[in-house]
Amino acid sequence: MTESIDIFPWDDNFCTGLAKIDHQHKKLVAILNRLASHAVFGNQQLQLNTVFKELVDYTVYHFKTEEDIWHQYLSDDDVVDDHKLSHDIFIQQVLQLQSELTSTPSDALLEKTISFLTQWLASHILESDRYMVVYVLALESGMNKQEAEDFTKQKMQGSTRHLINVILSIYASLSTNTLHLMRKTRLSAEIQQKLIRSEKRFEKAMYYAKVGHWDLANLNGHFQWSAQMYSLMGIIKDASPTLTLLADIIHPKYRSKLMASMKSCYHNGTEHHVQYQITRPSDNQIRWIECRGKRVVTDNGTISISGFAQDITEFKQAEIKLIEQQQQLQFISDNSPFYIARCDEAQKYIYVSKPYAALFGLQPDDIVGQTVKETMGEIIYGEVKNHIDKVLSGTPTSYDLCLFSKELLVQYVPEFDDQQNVVGYITGISDITERKQLEQKLRLAAKVFESQEGIFITDSDKNILQANCAFSKITGYQEQDIIGKPLQLFNGDLYDEQFYNQIWDKLRDEDCWEGEIWHQHHNGSTFPAYLYVDAVRNDQNHITNYIVTINDISTRKKNEQKIQQLAFYDHLTQLPNRRLLLDRLNRVIISNKRLNKNNALLFLDIDRFKMLNDTYGHDMGDLLLTSIAERLAECVREEDTLARIGGDEFVIILEGLSEQSITAASQTTEICHKLLAAMSHSFQLKNIQYHCSASIGVVLFNDPSATTSEIMKQADIAMYQAKVAGRNTMRFFDPTMQEEILKRAKLENELFEAVKHNHFKLFYQIQVNHLQQPIGAEALIRWLHPQKGIITPVEFIPYAEESGLILAIGSWVIETACQQLKQWQTQPATKAMTISINVSSKQFRQPEFVDQVIDTINKYDINPSRLKMELTESLLLDDIGNTIVQMHALGKLGIQFSLDDFGTGYSSLQYLKKLPLYQLKIDRSFVGDLITDKSDQSIVKTIISMAESLGFSVIAEGVETIEQQQFLQREGCLYYQGYLFGKPVPIKEFELLVNDIQAQDQSKTSGPKLNHSA
């Protein structure tokens, strides 16, 4: 809704008494209020020139209307002429304001116009027009002209005159003051909104900068922490932070420094500034924190400290790494055969290596800060000054220098600042005394052909004089083919004239040149070669010969390529490996500083890949991976990166997606669906067709401050969520996943403590036959958590499986069950009963599992046939061969096996008949709706029939009603477990339940045989 203001609020007080006149006055008031609204709110398009034209057109029409009325009654009265004169003056004033459009600022002219119109309207309506109307109405009432004039003057005097004067006085300043006041109000509101936005941006900036704010009223009091402070310190927001609490999480070596700094800041006003390490309670991470604070003293003398804390872990790690690198570079520099120094533009040394200082018999500290001239002396400085001037002009240079009986090659490289101004240079000196001696020998010797390197010699005009056998072997040119021929014979068409001129110029200046080139073979092919060219001078320092040494480096180049391939590519799929992937990912992150594009990282994991390896061997697994790599490569663009980072994990970087996150997500989703569709087709692996799928985790990123490890971790988390969602799907990273992972990590830590301190207990659920007589129990583990109470297996066993703690827990279960069986063997009521225990697939597949079970049975001297192990169908599928071996080994002892949750997996009848199973256990999911669900009834009948044909016993779990038990019994299932007979209870309650049942049997009383509330 458009904002507006009535600077001239119209009401009945401004009505003159003539409706036609008043109606036209309202139109002029509307124009005035429209100008005022624009002046205050600036919310309308306004052209002042158009407004002035509108005012002139309107007033000409309005004034004519008034003058016609006045002439009708007062044609010969002077007051009419005066009134017409006021009209003319108004039009002149409007035209005058219009003429100022080009010379007066628009805001000032608008305000001036509003002020004029407001005052004129008030004066014109209340004085002039009202006077005229009273006059005319008096004449119409029958008064003569004199009577009407006297009446009008009397009417317009006294209290009326006084009221008009007051109103005119108010309107003289009302317009300007009202406009100023409303402008100030609007500006104040805008400033307030800007402050709110600024505060929000500041809070956001502090969040992304990992900065928290704190206030401390006194040293013994509590901190006032911002939300970010709790996150930085890893402390829950319900905690009340104090210096003591802060000291508890700080590394001990920094505590005293922190307390001393706080006290000094509080008592002396010195700035509080410390860096310290903490161990965050929330995740046990060690982080570096930088804290700054200042004392604040109020007018009433109250003292407090206010400051900020920032997580600087990455900075400290980089700083430590930089120091290590600097130390390494210093070690290399000090132990290098090269002499290195660094000078500024004033030729003062700012760095000197030990070998460089040793040239002058000094230590580096003796030279740093001195000038080159002071160090070298007047004579030597005179020899090198021209070279220094050259490098300070921005040109690298090198020259030979004889110093202290050593032949030295001195090289200068300029250093530039960001504006490409020379700010100094680096000196590198090599001791070439031996090389110079060798050159002298070459001048004296006619030729050196003993080398395995190709060598030929030219005259000063570059015509070939001699060549050795190695040269002929390398190039294919025989000596008779090249003697007397120019050097262009070899590489005339491979390089341009400028290339050769650079070589000869360097030889002329420095007497040597070396480098890699492509050399032409006699058969027309080319090969990579390394050339070393030396110029030989006579006593007059004229070049007389060039000696060229050539080596075929084809093998070395191939080896370099192989090394490159091994270092950055996966040997199996030839895709980029983890190292190259992270390098490219880092490059994409850096490019976000200049490109406002979204990118995506896709983390693909092949579902159930281990099953293929275990079933068909690793060579078949490798064949599948290469096939998958080929398919995935067909689904991505050339600019994208597809990498294999190990095992069955592939990563894809999608670059340059849409700037809009929603669009980028849509683009990524489309590609993921394309990848999943490609994976859905079977793979031909030698003589078998294999079907597999993939789980894809996706993370979008465009933040240049993100790190490769963060992005990879987030994609891995998203991939894990895709696995949890049922595989063969994709999931985008959700920050809440990290919270879940932290919760899981906390639970795993607590579970570790539970294993360490044996916070577990076995509950027992009774198993009965069709006569409702106890035959045994299933031992069900419970975690006795110190704070949370009893935790069921569903809540912690999956984490135990993932963390590997299931091995220790499983051993404890076997130990406890055997110990209980030992006690039962001595009691008549229980000596014939069995205990069923659930065995984890990870535990069962341990090579030493059979030996552990045997040792435990022997330890407690129990009857093995009283111990029943319940195995899941997934255990059978993953490694059927090893499973059969393990089961037969334990079966020979007499241990019985029950296939748990039968019907929920994908058991193969081919495998079932090979397994030494004793019993199939019908899953509770088929029993719950057994009475009403026809499908469940069919499944249960099939399971019972299958068990009978295979010679297996059948037991049903989850039996809760008499109707369910009766249906199962009619179909041939004679063993049951469920709440109808008893809940899982501690051992004492279980034994009381068994005794009660047996007592009821003995007394042969009527009614239910079980206490169903047990």
Side-chain angles (χ1 to χ4, degrees), residues 295-353:
R295 184 173 70 172
V296 179
V297 183
T298 63
D299 293 338
N300 61 8
T302 303
I303 298 175
S304 64
I305 305 177
S306 182
F308 293 86
Q310 183 175 20
D311 188 329
I312 59 169
T313 305
E314 288 77 13
F315 169 80
K316 291 296 290 186
Q317 291 172 345
E319 181 183 64
I320 292 170
K321 187 173 182 180
L322 179 61
I323 292 172
E324 291 174 350
Q325 290 176 343
Q326 288 175 337
Q327 291 172 343
Q328 291 174 356
L329 290 173
Q330 183 69 46
F331 177 82
I332 294 171
S333 175
D334 290 342
N335 293 277
S336 170
F338 302 99
Y339 316 135
I340 301 171
R342 189 172 170 217
C343 298
D344 60 18
E345 66 271 23
Q347 302 183 32
K348 285 187 176 182
Y349 287 101
I350 55 179
Y351 171 78
V352 176
S353 69

Side-chain angles (χ1 to χ4, degrees), residues 566-578:
L566 290 173
F568 295 104
Y569 290 87
D570 174 47
H571 71 283
L572 178 63
T573 63
Q574 303 307 309
L575 294 176
N577 61 12
R578 179 182 289 272

